[in-house]
Amino acid sequence: MGGNTFGRLLRLTTYGESHGPAIGGVLEGFPAGVEIDFSLVDRDMARRRPGQSSLTTPRSEEDRVEFLSGIFEGRSLGTPIAFLIRNKDSRSKDYDALKDVYRPSHADFTWEQKYGHRDYRGGGRSSARETAARVAAGALAKMLLAKAGVEVMAWVSAVGPFEAQVNQDTVNPEQIASNPLRCPDPAAAGRMIEYIEQLKEAGDSTGGVITGLIRGVPAGLGEPVFDKLQAGLGKAMLSINAVKGFDYGSGFSAAAMKGSEHNDAFSTGPNGEVITLTNRSGGIQGGISNGQPIYFRVAFKPVATIAKAQQTINKQGEAVTLEAKGRHDPCVVPRAVPIVEAMAALTLADHFLRNKVASL
Amino acid sequence: MGGNTFGRLLRLTTYGESHGPAIGGVLEGFPAGVEIDFSLVDRDMARRRPGQSSLTTPRSEEDRVEFLSGIFEGRSLGTPIAFLIRNKDSRSKDYDALKDVYRPSHADFTWEQKYGHRDYRGGGRSSARETAARVAAGALAKMLLAKAGVEVMAWVSAVGPFEAQVNQDTVNPEQIASNPLRCPDPAAAGRMIEYIEQLKEAGDSTGGVITGLIRGVPAGLGEPVFDKLQAGLGKAMLSINAVKGFDYGSGFSAAAMKGSEHNDAFSTGPNGEVITLTNRSGGIQGGISNGQPIYFRVAFKPVATIAKAQQTINKQGEAVTLEAKGRHDPCVVPRAVPIVEAMAALTLADHFLRNKVASL
Amino acid sequence: MGGNTFGRLLRLTTYGESHGPAIGGVLEGFPAGVEIDFSLVDRDMARRRPGQSSLTTPRSEEDRVEFLSGIFEGRSLGTPIAFLIRNKDSRSKDYDALKDVYRPSHADFTWEQKYGHRDYRGGGRSSARETAARVAAGALAKMLLAKAGVEVMAWVSAVGPFEAQVNQDTVNPEQIASNPLRCPDPAAAGRMIEYIEQLKEAGDSTGGVITGLIRGVPAGLGEPVFDKLQAGLGKAMLSINAVKGFDYGSGFSAAAMKGSEHNDAFSTGPNGEVITLTNRSGGIQGGISNGQPIYFRVAFKPVATIAKAQQTINKQGEAVTLEAKGRHDPCVVPRAVPIVEAMAALTLADHFLRNKVASL
Amino acid sequence: MGGNTFGRLLRLTTYGESHGPAIGGVLEGFPAGVEIDFSLVDRDMARRRPGQSSLTTPRSEEDRVEFLSGIFEGRSLGTPIAFLIRNKDSRSKDYDALKDVYRPSHADFTWEQKYGHRDYRGGGRSSARETAARVAAGALAKMLLAKAGVEVMAWVSAVGPFEAQVNQDTVNPEQIASNPLRCPDPAAAGRMIEYIEQLKEAGDSTGGVITGLIRGVPAGLGEPVFDKLQAGLGKAMLSINAVKGFDYGSGFSAAAMKGSEHNDAFSTGPNGEVITLTNRSGGIQGGISNGQPIYFRVAFKPVATIAKAQQTINKQGEAVTLEAKGRHDPCVVPRAVPIVEAMAALTLADHFLRNKVASL
């Protein structure tokens, strides 16, 4: 009952420990007949990969995805798509010293309480390295969604105290890709980069916010009760390492608003289609997409591994001073952008399939 | 694939439309041998019921829960616990006029797009009346959790612009129950009540925030990857009608913090147990409970149904002016407190069972 | 994890103990827009009901199905269809004497080992009364299948040593309904009825075989690996009380055949469609329907409750002589015919929906 | 919704096409802390492997299982156990000629109807090669069961018209392993081998029966309604390629018996434990194990691929004469013995875990 599977009709199961032989996944329920563009997988893997820029950890894994099944003559077969990513650059000796130490705000203690036996090397299964498998599968989900006209993107909207100003109507992937931070507001990006470099120097880290945007969603995706579209997106995002919060549409700000300010009036668009004049609903009403853009925010805590000295204890209950020596990101959000996109794409693609059986 | 079931080992399936014969649920996977205290079900049902105070809708349903199975001689059998709640006071004629109107920020339009055929009376299955079944099942989940020493509570922490000051170390159910708003800060509660009454007068509504707190959770609940404990709680809360956001522990504020400020140092408690000196982790690390209190926030949008005139369209695309005449809450959060508790209890109880099979 | 749910996209959850307030079910995933003919539910309920003829138990429950949700204006809403059947004629006092006795070949002992706490009245949840909920849901599944041209029927093909001769190409529901045994071979039916009446007199019981037949199945239903169509049908049938075996197509007789005798040659039919010249495959190849009729056999053991004296023990390990005094069928197969049909219909309807998402 | 996952708490997902890069699986829900003996995996893989004797296909794959995750320092971590088996000896050119031919009693036609796009090389995903992943996972399930004292074995009990006489009380793995047919009746085995060699000469094939036996099962495994233990075993067996029937305990023969002959009287054993004096129940009552040995039969059809000329058609509807030239078994049952054991072990291990949450 380990919770290593995501989705109902499109089901991703991931496996692998950070310093074991490999990580990978099996994507089941992917429909037959979809053309697979492997270069899009490579592109998203490169966006998640460590060592992309001076802002991120130098661990230099190539992260090549090897597909083992489910694709034949360039198209999906309808059978499980299995893939693996070998763990090549795993200096597990770095971690021997940490074998018995409970690192602050890491999963060492909780894992040990739950399972007794654990792989202490680099976080084992708790490592964010697991998300590489999500990104690979998410790229496939994007191909499926593209067939239905759905486009998924995400960007860095805050780092520490700095917030970006972004026009959601016009933002595009090129703007997001224009700087290593994946923040489409160049001025804010500059301040964020400077801030991250200062923290790196100081052996510290910072949190941040990623905004996700999904355009072209047909009305009707999502289920009305427990599996509301926002509930699925929220679970997807909160399952990403270091995420502390999720909101969509007007989000937390809605709590302070009046109904008369918040409601989205219905109207008709240029082609007679039903539209809303505002979109505080964030493209979802009653758990079901209404055809307007879906947008949401995902809050990340600061990276727990820092170079600064910290007090903690070990398994024996003894006080220990910890000074991390490994290779770690001072800020995880730029690399988390493709992970957010992948989880959003997997969620939407699953609901796209689910909607096919809603009515006869 | 309708998404009417919540949970993996402890599984609640709910059914029923707002103005059909009944709503209800089936709770499967509830272990055999748990003593059932029906008065605790009644108590939580009363806390959710409409018409409790002048602040809430006067719909005067008795909401009596009839149990049909799964309990014998005062204890659970291990078989499905089925229950129903009859819909007695359903003035469905009130809704005939709305049959073809797309109410702003309601599910009328999206439901029609998804299913074609819909029960337009009072929102049908989209009505928050469905949550009565969750409260009944949640009361049972609380009984299971109580056996393990786990206590679940929630309170109103913000209404519109007013925020409560609450000491999470000392807050208790009696303080929460001391006013009709379920806000344990009496001064703030006074201002909130005044505000809601003004809005009621003006035919408007407001949003708010509920804070949840779970004490006594043993370390080890939650799964490390997709089914992290916070992901389950987030999904649970975002599946409640009108919820727009969820965060836990330091939440959205973590995004602006540094790692050196945010990390929770481990230490040992008076009995040698492992504790953290701070609890920005919100009782969860790596998706698994660490034994500290779990706390989280849930943001609710303002009630969409307001008496003020609103512009919208009908099914035929014609402009319509809408003035709601039904019986509606100006602020949903006081009644949503037991719903938040119920969903938290169902989530925790499920993970409590799941943890039983994590190791041999 | 109680196993009270059947199906993946069309999911039936049943609940209820034999002598509790009610039994019933929730059918989730039934698509919106299907017209519901309640008389077809009543008809199948009547076919399963006790007391239909002198051959069956006189327990005179009316078994009226009350629908609580999911149907509006005569059509399915796409929401859960919940229903209940009250337990009216439950002389539970009959069972008090059996409270501590382990009846031979019943579930008393195993249930007690598993759950500790059990409802001993009339078998509780282990009673075949649970199958009434399956028959109600199966009638709805048949309505869905009828839309796709699929027809499900079953008949008694053996009772004790007597076997019926039936032409599967021409058999029809009228022939099956022409005698109380539901055996379309009138000569065999006569011998079977005589045999059952002798056994009744002697306080004994007999087993039997039911044959199922499904016509009009489109090619493509079923999944190629674990969820082969025959695996689903087999599980469905083996989940019925008293069933000891299942085979399909050539079945157990295939074990003694040669490949050159057994293979079904492909050819083309009058309209150019692909057919097989024989149908030892039973309409399924590689787990997927091929468009030919699906047929299968289900073996039932003799009813365990008999009037003849039997030796057994009680909970205290003491020897006990048991002489059943309740109202019991000497042969369960005539009443099991609609149960077999219901489980077949639920299985096929689930795969019908699953097939909608197999390819894009 | 492809049906590539088996089990509820212990979940095996398999992947891979016969002539793709690899086949493999992910076993999720395997508890932490179980010692893993890789030699037992190798042993079962060797028992399933082609080319073991002159009776089986000469395809000489090494079938080495590479484990990728979930095991650390010789014990399970509680995380997914992923493994793969490379496809080395895949002469896919052999199959080019069959690209458009519908082989009799194979899945070519049904697969094409379902998915449109298919991997025609050697059956693709429909090939029995997929079962190698089941055997690998089954070996792990056996290790888990061994901890609970449960032993799983199977043997060939019939080939064509020849049936073995086996004493279920005394049969053991050594007797089964004493001949290449895995039949513990040496006299019958001799006749069966002679028969198979004749068929091989004649370019024909035969069916057979495998009997499974599970000893040491504690009382309480299995669920009372849809997930009866026999329903799970039946599904497991019917999901194996070429299986046409399943029965357990008295099986199909029960249909002709009287209740007074069939019932198993309860008594007490030498240590006061509850036993049954006979075991026509096959160790399962009301879907739940009673502590007696579980036994069942699995019927296999003759191998569909034969060297003898056969009439069939191709995709264009043209008549084609087929003479198989590949490497194929004349009788699949000896190699299917470890597959039957694996599926039984996976089923029992899943129910072993499920039973841990049945009562508090």
Side-chain angles (χ1 to χ4, degrees):
Chain A
M1 213 66 237
N4 299 283
T5 298
F6 183 84
R8 290 292 293 277
L9 292 194
L10 182 65
R11 299 162 53 78
L12 172 65
T13 299
T14 70
Y15 62 82
E17 283 71 52
S18 174
H19 291 67
I23 63 162
V26 181
L27 186 63
E28 207 216 358
F30 198 85
V34 180
E35 284 145 50
I36 304 301
D37 182 344
F38 294 106
S39 73
L40 295 178
V41 178
D42 293 342
R43 193 199 60 173
D44 274 353
M45 292 305 289
R47 294 167 77 216
R48 198 210 73 99
R49 185 160 49 217
Q52 298 168 50
S53 77
S54 65
L55 301 173
T56 57
T57 163
R59 178 169 168 165
S60 61
E61 302 225 339
E62 195 190 340
D63 282 357
R64 197 179 61 80
V65 181
E66 183 188 3
F67 285 92
L68 300 172
S69 65
I71 301 169
F72 182 60
E73 299 177 338
R75 284 191 296 146
S76 59
L77 281 166
T79 63
I81 300 176
F83 56 88
L84 66 82
I85 304 161
R86 296 275 171 189
N87 291 325
K88 287 173 189 166
D89 176 25
S90 52
R91 303 188 203 163
S92 56
K93 267 170 270 173
D94 286 9
Y95 295 98
D96 278 355
L98 296 173
K99 196 173 162 173
D100 288 343
V101 175
Y102 297 146
R103 291 170 298 159
S105 294
H106 270 283
D108 305 333
F109 170 69
T110 54
W111 188 281
E112 195 168 289
Q113 291 293 305
K114 185 174 189 72
Y115 296 104
H117 181 47
R118 75 182 177 96
D119 182 349
Y120 49 80
R121 299 167 305 167
R125 181 86 182 129
S126 291
S127 166
R129 178 150 179 74
E130 179 270 338
T131 58
R134 306 188 188 196
V135 170
L140 299 172
K142 286 178 183 175
M143 294 174 213
L144 178 58
L145 289 172
K147 290 259 179 189
V150 180
E151 185 189 26
V152 177
M153 71 184 81
W155 61 85
V156 171
S157 51
V159 166
F162 303 101
E163 295 190 17
Q165 301 302 319
V166 178
N167 182 338
Q168 292 194 9
D169 294 337
T170 59
V171 65
N172 61 50
E174 290 67 37
Q175 289 168 6
I176 296 168
S178 66
N179 61 60
L181 213 58
R182 300 200 171 96
C183 172
D185 172 345
R191 288 187 290 273
M192 292 170 181
I193 290 172
E194 197 177 347
Y195 181 64
I196 292 171
E197 282 171 349
Q198 285 168 10
L199 290 169
K200 196 178 172 186
E201 194 71 23
D204 212 335
S205 66
T206 182
V209 177
I210 290 176
T211 295
L213 177 65
I214 314 171
R215 291 187 185 129
V217 183
L221 306 197
E223 305 286 336
V225 183
F226 294 114
D227 292 358
K228 290 183 168 79
L229 193 49
Q230 68 269 34
L233 285 168
K235 182 187 169 183
M237 299 307 147
L238 287 153
S239 78
I240 299 173
N241 308 47
V243 171
K244 301 294 288 188
F246 167 88
D247 66 4
Y248 80 103
S250 54
F252 269 90
S253 72
M257 293 173 79
K258 295 177 188 171
S260 57
E261 295 165 344
H262 188 272
N263 281 354
D264 294 319
F266 281 104
S267 186
T268 45
N271 305 310
E273 75 276 18
V274 174
I275 60 166
T276 58
L277 296 178
T278 49
N279 187 17
R280 285 177 283 263
S281 295
I284 306 174
Q285 291 175 326
I288 302 169
S289 63
N290 68 358
Q292 301 303 310
I294 294 172
Y295 61 96
F296 57 86
R297 293 188 308 155
V298 187
F300 287 77
K301 71 172 186 178
V303 177
T305 302
I306 55 176
K308 278 193 166 175
Q310 297 181 91
Q311 284 303 312
T312 190
I313 61 170
N314 64 16
K315 207 169 167 170
Q316 290 74 36
E318 301 158 339
V320 172
T321 301
L322 186 70
E323 288 177 71
K325 293 203 186 65
R327 301 145 295 166
H328 303 283
D329 291 326
C331 180
V332 81
V333 288
R335 287 179 57 207
V337 164
I339 305 169
V340 165
E341 289 177 6
M343 293 307 297
L346 288 164
T347 304
L348 265 284
D350 188 31
H351 278 287
F352 175 75
L353 294 177
R354 292 175 73 167
N355 195 40
K356 284 180 173 290
V357 291
S359 60
L360 203 60
Chain B
M1 212 66 232
N4 298 285
T5 299
F6 184 84
R8 290 292 294 276
L9 293 194
L10 183 64
R11 299 161 54 78
L12 172 64
T13 300
T14 70
Y15 62 82
E17 283 71 52
S18 174
H19 289 68
I23 63 163
V26 181
L27 187 63
E28 206 216 359
F30 198 87
V34 180
E35 284 144 50
I36 304 300
D37 181 344
F38 294 105
S39 73
L40 296 178
V41 178
D42 292 342
R43 193 200 57 173
D44 275 352
M45 292 305 290
R47 295 168 77 217
R48 198 210 74 98
R49 186 162 46 217
Q52 298 168 49
S53 78
S54 65
L55 301 174
T56 57
T57 163
R59 178 169 167 163
S60 64
E61 303 225 338
E62 194 188 340
D63 281 357
R64 198 180 59 83
V65 181
E66 182 189 4
F67 286 91
L68 301 173
S69 65
I71 301 168
F72 181 60
E73 298 176 340
R75 285 190 297 146
S76 60
L77 281 166
T79 63
I81 300 176
F83 57 88
L84 68 81
I85 305 160
R86 296 273 171 192
N87 291 325
K88 287 174 189 166
D89 175 23
S90 51
R91 304 190 202 158
S92 54
K93 268 171 269 171
D94 286 8
Y95 295 98
D96 278 354
L98 296 174
K99 197 173 163 174
D100 289 342
V101 175
Y102 297 146
R103 292 170 297 160
S105 294
H106 270 282
D108 305 331
F109 170 68
T110 55
W111 188 281
E112 195 168 288
Q113 291 293 305
K114 186 175 189 71
Y115 295 104
H117 182 47
R118 75 183 178 93
D119 182 348
Y120 51 80
R121 300 168 303 168
R125 181 86 182 128
S126 292
S127 165
R129 177 148 180 75
E130 180 271 340
T131 59
R134 305 187 188 196
V135 169
L140 300 172
K142 286 178 183 175
M143 293 174 212
L144 178 58
L145 290 172
K147 291 259 178 189
V150 179
E151 185 189 25
V152 177
M153 72 184 79
W155 61 84
V156 172
S157 52
V159 165
F162 303 101
E163 295 189 18
Q165 300 302 319
V166 177
N167 183 339
Q168 292 194 6
D169 294 338
T170 58
V171 65
N172 62 48
E174 291 67 36
Q175 289 168 7
I176 296 168
S178 67
N179 60 62
L181 212 59
R182 301 200 170 95
C183 171
D185 172 346
R191 287 187 291 273
M192 292 170 182
I193 290 171
E194 197 176 345
Y195 181 64
I196 293 171
E197 283 172 349
Q198 285 169 9
L199 290 169
K200 196 178 171 185
E201 195 70 23
D204 212 335
S205 65
T206 182
V209 177
I210 290 175
T211 295
L213 177 65
I214 313 171
R215 291 187 186 128
V217 182
L221 306 198
E223 304 287 336
V225 182
F226 294 113
D227 292 357
K228 290 183 167 79
L229 192 49
Q230 68 270 34
L233 285 168
K235 182 187 169 182
M237 299 307 148
L238 286 153
S239 79
I240 300 172
N241 308 45
V243 171
K244 301 294 288 188
F246 168 88
D247 67 4
Y248 80 103
S250 53
F252 270 89
S253 73
M257 293 173 80
K258 295 177 187 171
S260 57
E261 295 165 345
H262 189 271
N263 281 353
D264 294 320
F266 282 105
S267 185
T268 46
N271 304 310
E273 76 277 17
V274 174
I275 60 165
T276 58
L277 297 177
T278 50
N279 186 18
R280 285 178 282 262
S281 294
I284 306 173
Q285 291 175 326
I288 302 169
S289 63
N290 67 359
Q292 302 303 309
I294 294 172
Y295 62 97
F296 57 86
R297 295 188 306 155
V298 188
F300 287 77
K301 71 172 186 177
V303 177
T305 303
I306 55 175
K308 278 194 167 177
Q310 299 182 90
Q311 285 303 313
T312 189
I313 61 171
N314 65 15
K315 209 169 168 171
Q316 290 72 37
E318 300 158 338
V320 172
T321 300
L322 187 71
E323 286 177 71
K325 293 205 185 67
R327 302 144 296 165
H328 303 281
D329 291 327
C331 179
V332 81
V333 289
R335 287 179 56 207
V337 163
I339 305 169
V340 164
E341 289 177 6
M343 292 308 297
L346 287 164
T347 304
L348 266 284
D350 188 31
H351 279 287
F352 175 75
L353 295 177
R354 291 174 74 166
N355 195 40
K356 284 181 173 289
V357 290
S359 60
L360 203 59
Chain C
M1 210 68 234
N4 299 283
T5 298
F6 184 82
R8 291 291 294 277
L9 292 195
L10 183 65
R11 299 162 54 77
L12 172 65
T13 299
T14 70
Y15 61 83
E17 283 71 52
S18 175
H19 290 67
I23 63 162
V26 181
L27 187 63
E28 206 216 358
F30 198 86
V34 180
E35 283 143 52
I36 304 300
D37 182 344
F38 295 105
S39 74
L40 295 178
V41 178
D42 293 342
R43 193 199 59 173
D44 274 353
M45 292 305 291
R47 295 167 77 216
R48 197 211 74 98
R49 185 160 49 217
Q52 299 169 49
S53 77
S54 66
L55 302 174
T56 57
T57 163
R59 177 170 168 163
S60 64
E61 302 225 339
E62 193 189 342
D63 281 357
R64 198 180 59 82
V65 182
E66 182 189 3
F67 286 91
L68 300 172
S69 65
I71 301 167
F72 181 60
E73 297 176 340
R75 285 190 296 146
S76 60
L77 281 166
T79 63
I81 300 176
F83 56 90
L84 67 81
I85 304 160
R86 296 273 171 192
N87 291 325
K88 289 175 189 165
D89 176 23
S90 51
R91 304 191 201 158
S92 56
K93 267 171 269 172
D94 286 9
Y95 295 99
D96 278 354
L98 296 173
K99 197 174 162 173
D100 288 342
V101 175
Y102 298 145
R103 292 170 297 159
S105 294
H106 271 282
D108 304 333
F109 170 68
T110 55
W111 188 279
E112 195 167 290
Q113 291 293 305
K114 184 174 191 72
Y115 295 104
H117 181 46
R118 75 182 177 93
D119 182 348
Y120 50 80
R121 300 167 303 168
R125 181 88 182 126
S126 292
S127 165
R129 177 147 179 75
E130 179 271 338
T131 59
R134 306 186 189 198
V135 170
L140 298 173
K142 286 178 183 175
M143 294 174 212
L144 178 58
L145 289 172
K147 291 258 178 191
V150 179
E151 185 190 27
V152 177
M153 71 184 79
W155 61 85
V156 171
S157 52
V159 165
F162 303 101
E163 295 191 17
Q165 300 302 320
V166 177
N167 182 338
Q168 292 194 8
D169 295 337
T170 58
V171 65
N172 61 48
E174 292 66 37
Q175 290 168 7
I176 296 168
S178 66
N179 61 61
L181 212 59
R182 301 202 169 93
C183 172
D185 172 346
R191 288 187 290 272
M192 292 170 182
I193 290 171
E194 197 177 346
Y195 181 65
I196 292 171
E197 281 171 350
Q198 286 169 10
L199 290 169
K200 197 177 170 186
E201 196 69 26
D204 213 335
S205 66
T206 182
V209 177
I210 291 176
T211 295
L213 177 66
I214 313 171
R215 290 187 186 130
V217 183
L221 305 197
E223 305 287 335
V225 181
F226 293 114
D227 293 358
K228 291 183 167 78
L229 192 49
Q230 69 269 33
L233 285 168
K235 183 187 168 182
M237 300 307 148
L238 286 153
S239 78
I240 300 172
N241 308 45
V243 171
K244 300 294 288 188
F246 168 87
D247 66 3
Y248 79 104
S250 53
F252 270 90
S253 72
M257 293 173 80
K258 294 177 189 170
S260 57
E261 296 166 344
H262 189 272
N263 282 353
D264 294 320
F266 281 105
S267 185
T268 47
N271 304 309
E273 75 277 18
V274 175
I275 61 165
T276 59
L277 296 178
T278 50
N279 185 18
R280 284 178 282 263
S281 295
I284 306 173
Q285 292 174 325
I288 303 169
S289 63
N290 67 358
Q292 301 303 309
I294 294 172
Y295 61 98
F296 56 87
R297 295 188 305 156
V298 188
F300 288 77
K301 70 171 186 177
V303 176
T305 303
I306 55 176
K308 279 194 165 174
Q310 298 182 90
Q311 285 304 311
T312 190
I313 61 171
N314 64 15
K315 206 168 168 172
Q316 291 73 38
E318 301 158 339
V320 172
T321 301
L322 187 70
E323 287 176 72
K325 294 205 185 64
R327 304 144 295 165
H328 303 282
D329 291 326
C331 180
V332 82
V333 288
R335 287 180 55 207
V337 163
I339 305 169
V340 165
E341 289 177 6
M343 292 309 296
L346 287 164
T347 303
L348 266 283
D350 188 30
H351 278 287
F352 175 75
L353 294 178
R354 292 174 73 167
N355 195 40
K356 284 181 172 289
V357 290
S359 59
L360 203 60
Chain D
M1 212 68 234
N4 299 284
T5 298
F6 183 83
R8 290 292 294 276
L9 292 194
L10 182 65
R11 300 162 53 77
L12 172 64
T13 299
T14 70
Y15 61 82
E17 283 71 52
S18 174
H19 289 66
I23 63 163
V26 180
L27 187 63
E28 208 215 358
F30 198 86
V34 180
E35 284 146 50
I36 305 300
D37 181 345
F38 293 107
S39 73
L40 296 177
V41 178
D42 292 342
R43 193 200 59 174
D44 275 352
M45 292 304 291
R47 295 167 77 216
R48 198 211 74 99
R49 186 161 47 218
Q52 299 168 49
S53 77
S54 65
L55 301 174
T56 57
T57 163
R59 177 170 168 163
S60 62
E61 302 225 339
E62 196 190 339
D63 281 355
R64 197 180 60 81
V65 181
E66 182 188 4
F67 286 92
L68 300 173
S69 65
I71 302 168
F72 181 60
E73 298 177 339
R75 284 190 296 147
S76 60
L77 282 166
T79 63
I81 300 176
F83 57 88
L84 67 82
I85 304 161
R86 296 274 171 190
N87 290 325
K88 287 174 189 167
D89 175 24
S90 52
R91 303 188 203 161
S92 55
K93 268 171 271 173
D94 287 9
Y95 296 98
D96 278 352
L98 296 173
K99 196 174 162 173
D100 288 342
V101 175
Y102 296 146
R103 292 170 297 160
S105 293
H106 270 281
D108 305 332
F109 170 68
T110 55
W111 189 280
E112 196 169 288
Q113 290 294 304
K114 186 175 188 72
Y115 295 105
H117 181 46
R118 75 182 177 95
D119 181 349
Y120 50 81
R121 299 167 304 167
R125 181 87 181 127
S126 292
S127 165
R129 176 148 180 74
E130 180 271 339
T131 59
R134 306 188 188 196
V135 170
L140 299 172
K142 286 178 182 176
M143 294 174 211
L144 178 58
L145 290 172
K147 290 260 178 188
V150 179
E151 184 189 27
V152 177
M153 71 184 80
W155 61 83
V156 172
S157 51
V159 165
F162 303 101
E163 294 190 16
Q165 301 302 319
V166 177
N167 182 338
Q168 291 194 9
D169 295 338
T170 59
V171 64
N172 61 49
E174 290 67 37
Q175 290 167 8
I176 296 169
S178 67
N179 61 60
L181 212 60
R182 302 203 168 93
C183 172
D185 173 346
R191 288 188 290 274
M192 292 171 182
I193 289 172
E194 199 177 344
Y195 181 65
I196 292 171
E197 282 172 348
Q198 286 168 10
L199 290 169
K200 195 177 171 185
E201 195 70 25
D204 213 335
S205 65
T206 181
V209 177
I210 290 176
T211 295
L213 177 66
I214 314 172
R215 291 186 184 128
V217 183
L221 306 198
E223 305 287 336
V225 183
F226 294 114
D227 293 357
K228 290 183 168 78
L229 193 49
Q230 68 269 34
L233 285 168
K235 182 188 170 183
M237 299 307 149
L238 286 153
S239 78
I240 300 172
N241 307 47
V243 170
K244 301 294 289 187
F246 168 88
D247 66 4
Y248 79 104
S250 54
F252 270 89
S253 72
M257 293 174 78
K258 295 177 188 170
S260 57
E261 295 165 344
H262 188 271
N263 282 353
D264 294 320
F266 282 105
S267 185
T268 46
N271 304 309
E273 76 276 18
V274 175
I275 60 165
T276 59
L277 296 177
T278 49
N279 186 20
R280 285 177 281 262
S281 294
I284 306 173
Q285 291 174 327
I288 302 169
S289 63
N290 68 357
Q292 301 303 309
I294 294 171
Y295 61 97
F296 56 87
R297 294 188 307 155
V298 188
F300 288 76
K301 71 172 185 177
V303 177
T305 302
I306 55 175
K308 278 194 166 174
Q310 297 182 90
Q311 285 304 312
T312 189
I313 61 170
N314 64 15
K315 208 169 168 170
Q316 290 73 36
E318 301 159 338
V320 172
T321 301
L322 187 70
E323 287 177 72
K325 294 205 184 65
R327 301 144 297 164
H328 303 282
D329 290 327
C331 179
V332 80
V333 289
R335 287 179 56 207
V337 164
I339 305 170
V340 165
E341 289 178 7
M343 292 308 297
L346 288 164
T347 304
L348 267 283
D350 187 31
H351 278 287
F352 175 75
L353 294 178
R354 292 174 74 166
N355 194 40
K356 283 181 173 290
V357 291
S359 60
L360 202 61

